[in-house]
Amino acid sequence: MDILTLCNMASRRLNNWQLNELPAPSTARALLVFVIMVGITPAGAMWFESSMTTHMLVQLPLLIVLGAVCYQPKAQLNSFLTRIDPLGAIAFICYTGWMLFWMLPLNLDLATIEPSVRLLKLISVPIGIGCCFRWLWHQSNAVLKCVVVFETWASVTRLGWLYIESPLQLCSSYLIGEQQRVGTLLLVISGISATVAVFYSLFGSFNKKNDSTLAKSTSNG
Amino acid sequence: MAVYAMNIVLSLSIALGLLAWRTSNFSSFTYETDRRNAVEARPVQLSDWQLQSSNGKTVYLSELSDQLLLVDFVYTRCPTICRALGSRYEQLQRVINSSGNTQITLLSISIDPIYDTPQQLNSYRKRHNGLKDTWQLARPITDHAFQTIISETGLRVIPDKFGGFTHSDTIHLIENRKLTKIKPWSSTDWENIILSGKNS
């Protein structure tokens, strides 16, 4: 089996991953509202933002995942979005832009200081990252999906590496020791996700029942 | 397809524009650099901070900042950066004395006002061969005064697990109760300001 065949298999498997097995949007919506409300209240905000680990590795991922799961546009909105962004490129720009925005230490710090930036975080992360990811995944082809997956993975890895290696305290709200701990955790996450992605690309879903659909579609064309 | 391409270009421009605006044209990516750039772009009018000097008397910022005031924030138990700041002030004090410029005062404000009594402040100055004429030390009298200083300068002070604090290692230039410049302690701009006698 040569490398091209492997890449081809990987991109087909990614393309067939349709996010169909996610929990019901209503549950996710209730959870998202709860997380946002907790994030707004002073005690909740303090809990989430008092440590860099809970801020970056609990609150932000929760908002992203819940935003993605909640996303279920009505037919009217769906047709409007299909008309303005048929291939998911605009959603890709929005997703990348907001990811970049919230990876900047400046914005992470401001979110802990300024209520307006905190509110922006609670709104933009589920919509700008979570919903956009869902939309672009739904609309885009295998190439764009691969770009999204690899770019996200590479960003997490780069950020983890930067947090560990930087001799400077990048976030003024958090100690440098905590920054290094988050960096290590980001690298662990990127390592685990890379391993899972490789196994998934090569051997398919762990649920073989679902994977048979892929086998059929692959053999058909 | 041409419309779609235009939409893509438009959304890309908006995304880049927002990032450029947020980071002051891609120049400030951390809170500390943003704070420095913001002060340089728009100096901050400060309230009349109420402090207790190292001789125990109450002093107000207006009494100190009629000329140029170089302010750093320290705590006397600090084993790391405050020692470097103390040594830097010792150097700057030598420059002030050799230049004969009497219009500049160095001021160290404690960020640990409970522990840093006037005696502690005096011993900190003594450790760094400070002279009372050119180097003032003070602590905020009340918690309100401390919070005012923090909010007006944008300084971040985070308690660490050793009972100390992590804080900015910058020096602040105050002219007539206006915060006009924030630079790292190691910047050579401070010598230039002392020698020229004005904020260049």
Side-chain angles (χ1 to χ4, degrees):
Chain A
M1 193 183 286
D2 60 37
I3 188 78
L4 273 175
T5 318
L6 271 177
C7 286
N8 197 17
M9 268 174 68
S11 66
R12 275 187 182 174
R13 285 194 194 282
L14 273 175
N15 202 25
N16 277 275
W17 189 49
Q18 290 293 341
L19 302 174
N20 283 335
E21 293 171 30
L22 295 171
S26 54
T27 318
R29 244 173 246 151
L31 263 172
L32 180 61
V33 170
F34 176 72
V35 171
I36 290 175
M37 293 314 286
V38 170
I40 289 172
T41 56
M46 201 175 180
W47 184 80
F48 272 129
E49 294 161 7
S50 61
S51 134
M52 198 175 183
T53 314
T54 49
H55 196 182
M56 275 199 77
L57 300 180
V58 178
Q59 192 186 31
L60 292 181
L62 252 178
L63 290 169
I64 294 171
V65 170
L66 291 174
V69 177
C70 278
Y71 178 76
Q72 202 181 49
K74 294 206 168 95
Q76 213 173 353
L77 178 64
N78 202 45
S79 67
F80 170 73
L81 288 174
T82 313
R83 207 167 56 247
I84 63 161
D85 190 20
L87 300 176
I90 294 173
F92 174 68
I93 291 166
C94 191
Y95 167 81
T96 316
W98 282 116
M99 281 278 281
L100 208 63
F101 187 89
W102 289 113
M103 275 181 184
L104 292 179
L106 166 66
N107 295 321
L108 212 60
D109 269 332
L110 288 178
T112 66
I113 304 165
E114 288 180 17
S116 58
V117 182
R118 179 175 297 135
L119 192 65
L120 177 71
K121 174 186 74 182
L122 295 171
I123 294 168
S124 68
V125 171
I127 297 173
I129 303 177
C131 295
C132 282
F133 174 79
R134 189 80 185 271
W135 174 257
L136 82 90
W137 198 263
H138 185 252
Q139 295 298 108
S140 61
N141 57 20
V143 176
L144 193 55
K145 280 177 185 171
C146 284
V147 170
V148 170
V149 168
F150 285 112
E151 192 40 48
T152 305
W153 176 80
S155 298
V156 169
T157 310
R158 280 192 295 259
L159 198 66
W161 178 64
L162 175 73
Y163 280 176
I164 291 172
E165 287 299 314
S166 171
L168 299 172
Q169 180 194 354
L170 295 169
C171 287
S172 295
S173 303
Y174 303 109
L175 300 171
I176 196 160
E178 202 169 1
Q179 174 182 308
Q180 286 164 346
R181 189 166 66 241
V182 170
T184 310
L185 286 170
L186 284 172
L187 284 190
V188 168
I189 290 167
S190 87
I192 292 171
S193 57
T195 312
V196 170
V198 165
F199 271 84
Y200 184 78
S201 302
L202 290 175
F203 306 113
S205 168
F206 296 108
N207 183 353
K208 287 295 168 193
K209 199 177 165 189
N210 287 345
D211 209 39
S212 59
T213 325
L214 170 66
K216 270 184 199 165
S217 73
T218 312
S219 63
N220 289 341
Chain B
M1 209 58 195
V3 176
Y4 188 42
M6 262 177 60
N7 284 346
I8 291 172
V9 172
L10 186 68
S11 52
L12 195 61
S13 311
I14 292 171
L16 284 173
L18 278 174
L19 279 173
W21 167 74
R22 183 66 268 179
T23 58
S24 311
N25 290 328
F26 302 106
S27 66
S28 50
F29 296 103
T30 62
Y31 176 78
E32 208 41 46
T33 45
D34 188 58
R35 191 168 77 98
R36 287 176 211 166
N37 291 343
V39 163
E40 293 225 359
R42 195 180 297 169
V44 180
Q45 183 67 51
L46 304 169
S47 56
D48 206 2
W49 299 344
Q50 194 183 11
L51 304 164
Q52 183 183 35
S53 70
S54 55
N55 59 17
K57 285 183 184 162
T58 302
V59 285
Y60 290 89
L61 185 65
S62 54
E63 295 168 24
L64 299 167
S65 75
D66 52 342
Q67 291 153 351
L68 293 182
L69 196 61
L70 303 192
V71 182
D72 70 354
F73 294 91
V74 296
Y75 65 103
T76 58
R77 289 178 296 152
C78 174
T80 53
I81 192 64
C82 305
R83 289 191 180 180
L85 281 165
S87 304
R88 181 66 175 138
Y89 262 28
E90 199 178 337
Q91 278 178 351
L92 293 177
Q93 183 179 248
R94 277 201 295 272
V95 178
I96 291 171
N97 290 339
S98 64
S99 70
N101 189 342
T102 54
Q103 296 188 326
I104 292 186
T105 306
L106 304 175
L107 172 66
S108 294
I109 297 179
S110 170
I111 52 168
D112 186 11
I114 294 170
Y115 180 84
D116 288 339
T117 57
Q119 292 77 18
Q120 295 290 350
L121 295 174
N122 271 324
S123 80
Y124 175 83
R125 180 167 51 203
K126 208 170 175 185
R127 280 205 298 276
H128 294 287
N129 305 312
L131 300 170
K132 282 182 183 171
D133 295 340
T134 44
W135 187 353
Q136 305 255 7
L137 278 108
R139 63 173 179 170
I141 285 180
T142 58
D143 188 51
H144 174 72
F146 183 53
Q147 292 308 327
T148 306
I149 293 171
I150 295 286
S151 70
E152 287 181 352
T153 56
L155 191 76
R156 303 291 290 151
V157 178
I158 319 162
D160 64 26
K161 59 183 175 185
F162 307 108
F165 303 93
T166 294
H167 61 98
S168 170
D169 59 352
T170 46
I171 296 176
H172 305 63
L173 178 68
I174 297 176
E175 301 174 81
N176 299 317
R177 254 176 64 199
K178 223 176 214 182
L179 178 59
T180 55
K181 198 185 274 278
I182 303 174
K183 290 261 176 196
W185 62 278
S186 52
S187 169
T188 51
D189 275 14
W190 300 120
E191 272 86 353
N192 296 335
I193 288 169
I194 291 168
L195 293 172
S196 67
K198 60 179 185 231
N199 179 9
S200 49

